[in-house]
Amino acid sequence: MKTIHLFANWKMYLGYDESNILANALIGEVRKMPPAINIALFPSALSLYSIALNLKETDIAVGAQNAYWLDKGGYTGEVSVGMFKEVGCRYVLIGHSERRHVFHETNLEVRKKVEAAFAEKIMPVVCVGETKEERNAGKTEEVVEVQLRAAFEDLNLPSDTRFIIAYEPVWAIGTGDACDPKEAERIHKEIAKITKSLLSDVNFSILYGGSVRAENVADYLAGSHTDGVLIGNASAKLDTFKGIMDKAAQFAAK
Ligand code: PGA
């Protein structure tokens, strides 16, 4: 059975108390999950430290939603990859569509963050995906390839390197308009092909993200190039996240 990643991107949905209460409530739920399921929470930077401390003895991992590539210095408002690692982060999201499209993060910045994550040995979760206009113009594969090349081309990585790519079509994020699972799987296959051509001897997993719910999660997990999901809205409430976890557990038990 492949490992199934259920990654919860809490964005800026939850305050400090709300984040800690939800993380606490998840401890008992995650204990009931089969070992094939790997759960990671991506709380706000503010809540992350206390959650990481609280979850230290559990199987729930913690990740950062974003990080700066330089280590230390006069960069007001930023938190470095190394600083997140120091407080217990195992993962860092890089190039999430909201970073790219709301905060105008470029492919070059994504690349610098990817390099910083590999240098710090914190696992990057590199997000790629096309806008509605790009999709309508038939450019999905082209856009994804440009993003993957920018992130990974010519990197010199040790052969035991592991990382994660999340395919998140921009138009499917936070809209309820989820990508057809067969279409997502087709793009995942393409992502795997491109990534293997850019980097040999590395180990990567591919997640789908964009309006994942309990009703559709099993359809994504069924794809042979799909290793899990990145969940936004539905991961920020106990009942909806639990619904997804239960469906994933049922899928894993098949
Ligand atoms: P969503 O967000 O599940 O609310 O669509 C997914 C994401 O942005 O990672």
Side-chain angles (χ1 to χ4, degrees):
M1 181 71 207
K2 65 182 177 185
T3 297
I4 295 172
H5 303 283
L6 302 181
F7 283 9
N9 176 11
W10 290 352
K11 309 192 183 190
M12 208 177 74
Y13 288 138
L14 303 173
Y16 180 82
D17 284 344
E18 293 166 320
S19 304
N20 279 280
I21 289 167
L22 181 55
N24 235 342
L26 285 167
I27 296 175
E29 299 302 330
V30 171
R31 238 182 250 130
K32 297 180 211 154
M33 289 290 113
I37 297 200
N38 175 41
I39 294 185
L41 308 181
F42 295 77
S44 73
L46 192 64
S47 318
L48 191 146
Y49 178 48
S50 64
I51 290 179
L53 273 182
N54 193 22
L55 299 182
K56 215 171 179 173
E57 307 301 327
T58 74
D59 287 332
I60 310 176
V62 172
Q65 297 178 10
N66 178 41
Y68 195 53
W69 59 84
L70 293 173
D71 196 28
K72 277 185 180 156
Y75 305 102
T76 303
E78 295 292 334
V79 181
S80 71
V81 172
M83 290 172 179
F84 281 117
K85 170 118 188 263
E86 187 189 352
V87 299
C89 277
R90 193 184 304 165
Y91 303 100
V92 57
L93 295 184
I94 298 178
H96 185 277
S97 89
E98 285 147 16
R99 299 295 324 162
R100 292 181 190 265
H101 296 286
V102 182
F103 300 101
H104 309 294
E105 196 166 295
T106 64
N107 275 331
L108 184 63
E109 288 166 325
V110 167
R111 171 57 173 248
K112 289 179 182 171
K113 293 179 181 192
V114 168
E115 288 183 10
F118 283 130
E120 287 289 347
K121 299 203 180 340
I122 181 167
M123 204 183 294
V125 181
V126 180
C127 304
V128 297
E130 80 289 357
T131 63
K132 189 96 192 160
E133 295 70 47
E134 289 163 343
R135 184 175 198 82
N136 290 344
K139 288 189 172 161
T140 298
E141 288 84 347
E142 192 187 314
V143 170
V144 166
E145 177 159 4
V146 167
Q147 292 172 336
L148 290 171
R149 276 191 186 282
F152 300 122
E153 194 165 40
D154 297 329
L155 278 180
N156 195 0
L157 300 171
S159 61
D160 60 348
T161 302
R162 297 178 59 85
F163 60 94
I164 296 179
I165 298 166
Y167 171 56
E168 297 207 306
V170 180
W171 49 271
I173 296 176
T175 59
D177 185 16
C179 182
D180 178 73
K182 287 201 176 64
E183 172 67 359
E185 172 62 16
R186 190 180 69 76
I187 304 297
H188 293 177
K189 197 170 170 192
E190 191 63 26
I191 287 174
K193 196 176 97 194
I194 297 165
T195 307
K196 280 183 194 151
S197 78
L198 295 171
L199 299 168
S200 49
D201 278 347
V202 289
N203 233 308
F204 57 90
S205 304
I206 301 176
L207 314 185
Y208 168 76
S211 298
V212 173
R213 303 282 183 270
E215 300 75 48
N216 59 20
V217 65
D219 298 332
Y220 293 110
L221 298 180
S224 60
H225 292 84
T226 307
D227 305 295
V229 286
L230 179 54
I231 315 144
N233 199 35
S235 74
K237 287 182 260 356
L238 184 61
D239 59 338
T240 45
F241 192 27
K242 191 173 149 7
I244 291 173
M245 284 162 52
D246 289 344
K247 291 284 183 197
Q250 282 166 20
F251 176 85
K254 272 193 207 153

